[in-house]
Amino acid sequence: EVPMSWCQTRLVLCCTVLAVDLCSGFTMMRSWRQGQVQVMAGPRRLLQRSSASTSQVDEVAAGTSGSNGEPVSPGVREASLFDCHPSVEFWRGWDFNQQVTDTGGTATAVVENLRQTLQAKGPSEPLYWAYHLGRMTAFGLQGALSLAAFEAKVSLSNEQPTTAPQQSGVFSGVQSAGAAAPRLMSETLQTFRQDAENIEQGAYKQPWDFTNLRNKQWSPFFVASAHARYMQEAVSTLEKRRENAAKPKSEFPVWLRGGTMYPQYYQNTFHFQTDGWLSSRSAKVYETSTETLFLGRQDAMQRHALVPLRRHVEARGLPADGQGLNIAEIACGTGRFHTFLKDNYPMASTSAMDLSPYYLEEARRNDRQWRRATRAPANSPKTSFIHASAEDIPLPSASQDAVLALYLFHEIPPENRRAIIQEMGRVLKPGGICIVADSIQLGDRPSIDRQIGAFSAFNEPYYGTYIEEEFADLFSAQASCEPFMKLVASSTKVLSFTKKSD
């Protein structure tokens, strides 16, 4: 292990000072519009303990009920079914509020998380830490600016935020953002620590774009235009959340009516984002929006989906560069993750599938950017872009060595989840691997189980059923797949399954 140099340490600390400034700015917003707090009902199944005990795991090893007869959450039950990465236990016990109590204050708790991050084994290059801490600061400041812009717009319009308590979710959300900023910073630091350790252990490469000056994120023009798009979208999203909080979700249709071409659930403005998934405007702002929401850790979280794929490839003695492998990603969105997949397996034949042609266009653009920036091998197979629904994958049966789905299932009705998993199993070869990366569920992080259902308020109509879904049972019944490996990275969990051999 290469110790950090003094120059590296100074570089990191400079970024940290900016992050602490961000934390202070968020905290000042806690008094914003006092009295508008909405108490949101938590999920109906709650864990009362900070971690899954041995007795809990033993109780659910053969079923789904604990000693009191109540259903056991997915996060607890999975501990007895999967080969759990150390991250699973880490996040199950990670409780920022307890850290504040133990260390004597919020600032000292953040500093302690920073210390753990910097001491962790990871890439020795100072650029990794400087880039990622700078990334956290930049996206955090952008989020703070968007909240300030929304507040200013409401104030200038002389509108009252709400007259009904049940409509105050957006304002309580702004207050919560200020209170949660130190915790989110600490979560982001710990996610970067895990990401760095995965890279050091060879699970995947360093991100292909952060040191490459040919990448778009180093272009001042791109950064300025992305910021402008995000500010406009963020204010619009918060406005729609405030105005439409009391309306049924059926009143949030997209502009394009798809008839039978698009499933009914798909014709919805998820997150209150403009046009849902059905416009170029939505596709172009999506990556900036998610990174801002997660304080710059979205890429690091989703890269964890590459860990079980690497373990599977090594265990089966498959080519490390993906030569001869067929890998499909369904619901690929803008294709950001697909560039990491392709960078690690450049010789694999990959398919990127999505139901939105606008997001597929952005995915193709990201693929071209990866090829130019990395000077990908000329014989690297071209990615196949497929416009189709996940319920009807247009690939031959038993044709794929791996099938991945990231951040898909929490936006899918329960009956459609089963159809999609059945399709994933159909196209997967015997002995192949399915990998699902999505939001954490109940029991993955017991300290926030009471708040996890709140995301439904941002026009996520199926999130409440998602956080209780037993995916191990679904993949067994619908896809003939067995649990393989589980990881957790902050707000993301990764479950993987292998298909039984004939």
Side-chain angles (χ1 to χ4, degrees):
E1 179 177 354
V2 180
M4 290 181 63
S5 67
W6 171 236
C7 290
Q8 179 179 349
T9 303
R10 284 188 298 174
L11 188 57
V12 168
L13 288 178
C14 286
C15 293
T16 306
V17 169
L18 291 175
V20 172
D21 287 342
L22 166 64
C23 174
S24 301
F26 266 125
T27 304
M28 290 175 62
M29 298 179 67
R30 294 183 61 181
S31 60
W32 189 73
R33 296 187 181 272
Q34 292 294 326
Q36 299 297 329
V37 177
Q38 174 190 20
V39 179
M40 304 192 69
R44 60 184 173 87
R45 295 194 314 201
L46 301 175
L47 291 178
Q48 301 301 321
R49 303 173 69 173
S50 62
S51 63
S53 66
T54 302
S55 60
Q56 282 178 301
V57 173
D58 291 341
E59 288 170 356
V60 301
T64 59
S65 295
S67 58
N68 59 0
E70 291 295 318
V72 175
S73 61
V76 171
R77 184 165 179 254
E78 287 161 359
S80 66
L81 301 175
F82 290 83
D83 178 6
C84 290
H85 186 270
S87 61
V88 175
E89 185 61 27
F90 173 82
W91 286 104
R92 183 180 291 128
W94 195 85
D95 185 342
F96 183 74
N97 291 332
Q98 187 60 48
Q99 289 182 357
V100 171
T101 301
D102 293 343
T103 60
T106 300
T108 51
V110 173
V111 170
E112 174 60 20
N113 281 279
L114 175 63
R115 184 191 65 79
Q116 293 176 13
T117 299
L118 299 184
Q119 288 187 347
K121 188 175 183 180
S124 58
E125 293 85 350
L127 284 177
Y128 176 90
W129 303 107
Y131 171 80
H132 283 86
L133 291 173
R135 179 186 181 91
M136 177 181 73
T137 302
F139 282 113
L141 288 172
Q142 181 166 262
L145 286 173
S146 67
L147 293 175
F150 172 66
E151 179 185 3
K153 184 170 184 178
V154 171
S155 299
L156 290 173
S157 66
N158 294 318
E159 295 179 7
Q160 294 298 316
T162 181
T163 57
Q166 67 269 23
Q167 295 181 359
S168 59
V170 67
F171 294 96
S172 64
V174 173
Q175 288 190 149
S176 298
R183 175 181 62 80
L184 295 176
M185 289 173 56
S186 297
E187 283 197 33
T188 303
L189 290 170
Q190 293 291 355
T191 304
F192 291 159
R193 174 189 60 79
Q194 283 185 198
D195 185 52
E197 289 176 346
N198 290 338
I199 294 169
E200 183 71 16
Q201 293 164 8
Y204 46 80
K205 299 177 182 178
Q206 291 201 70
W208 59 270
D209 58 347
F210 82 89
T211 59
N212 195 318
L213 297 182
R214 291 189 296 273
N215 187 55
K216 61 185 180 182
Q217 67 195 36
W218 297 108
S219 164
F221 174 77
F222 173 81
V223 171
S225 59
H227 174 72
R229 282 194 298 266
Y230 170 76
M231 292 295 291
Q232 182 182 18
E233 178 67 14
V235 172
S236 171
T237 297
L238 290 171
E239 277 190 310
K240 283 180 281 191
R241 170 69 185 100
R242 177 174 67 92
E243 295 168 358
N244 300 320
K247 293 183 180 180
K249 298 298 182 285
S250 59
E251 294 188 23
F252 305 139
V254 294
W255 67 277
L256 179 65
R257 310 310 295 161
T260 59
M261 180 179 297
Y262 297 113
Q264 187 62 41
Y265 72 82
Y266 195 77
Q267 301 176 50
N268 175 48
T269 54
F270 289 98
H271 324 141
F272 297 105
Q273 65 190 35
T274 302
D275 302 325
W277 305 118
L278 293 171
S279 74
S280 297
R281 173 182 171 181
S282 171
K284 288 183 180 297
V285 78
Y286 177 78
E287 291 176 15
T288 308
S289 296
T290 55
E291 288 292 2
T292 304
L293 175 65
F294 292 110
L295 231 61
R297 67 183 184 276
Q298 173 67 11
D299 276 355
M301 289 193 298
Q302 64 184 352
R303 279 195 292 267
H304 281 70
L306 295 170
V307 175
L309 182 58
R310 176 59 64 189
R311 179 178 289 190
H312 177 76
V313 165
E314 291 178 348
R316 296 183 65 85
L318 302 173
D321 62 357
Q323 180 73 46
L325 300 183
N326 294 320
I327 303 175
E329 182 188 358
I330 63 174
C332 69
T334 64
R336 174 66 175 167
F337 171 78
H338 206 86
T339 65
F340 297 129
L341 173 66
K342 196 69 178 175
D343 194 49
N344 281 270
Y345 301 94
M347 301 310 297
S349 296
T350 64
S351 299
M353 190 183 85
D354 202 271
L355 190 52
S356 170
Y358 306 99
Y359 276 69
L360 277 177
E361 181 183 29
E362 196 67 19
R364 186 176 69 159
R365 190 174 292 114
N366 275 330
D367 179 74
R368 288 199 300 261
Q369 177 67 26
W370 167 74
R371 290 182 179 277
R372 286 197 301 266
T374 63
R375 295 189 173 94
N379 60 342
S380 173
K382 302 294 185 183
T383 296
S384 175
F385 295 95
I386 304 173
H387 181 216
S389 72
E391 292 91 337
D392 187 17
I393 302 174
L395 293 172
S397 297
S399 62
Q400 302 299 305
D401 296 281
V403 181
L404 298 93
L406 276 69
Y407 306 109
L408 167 65
F409 287 106
H410 73 273
E411 295 186 342
I412 303 294
E415 60 274 17
N416 294 78
R417 290 178 199 142
R418 285 146 179 80
I420 292 170
I421 291 172
Q422 187 174 39
E423 275 293 273
M424 293 175 74
R426 179 186 66 81
V427 302
L428 189 65
K429 294 179 181 178
I433 186 171
C434 278
I435 300 173
V436 173
D438 214 310
S439 168
I440 55 173
Q441 297 175 281
L442 293 176
D444 288 318
R445 295 182 56 187
S447 64
I448 59 173
D449 267 355
R450 292 183 181 275
Q451 294 82 40
I452 191 173
F455 190 54
S456 299
F458 261 81
N459 200 13
E460 286 284 358
Y462 312 109
Y463 194 76
T465 62
Y466 165 79
I467 60 177
E468 299 183 344
E469 192 73 86
E470 297 283 0
F471 282 95
D473 292 344
L474 291 185
F475 271 89
S476 175
Q478 305 295 329
S480 298
C481 288
E482 301 172 322
F484 179 57
M485 185 181 183
K486 176 181 178 179
L487 303 90
V488 176
S490 182
S491 305
T492 294
K493 69 185 299 181
V494 179
L495 298 177
S496 56
F497 308 85
T498 53
K499 187 175 181 179
K500 299 174 184 177
S501 300
D502 294 335

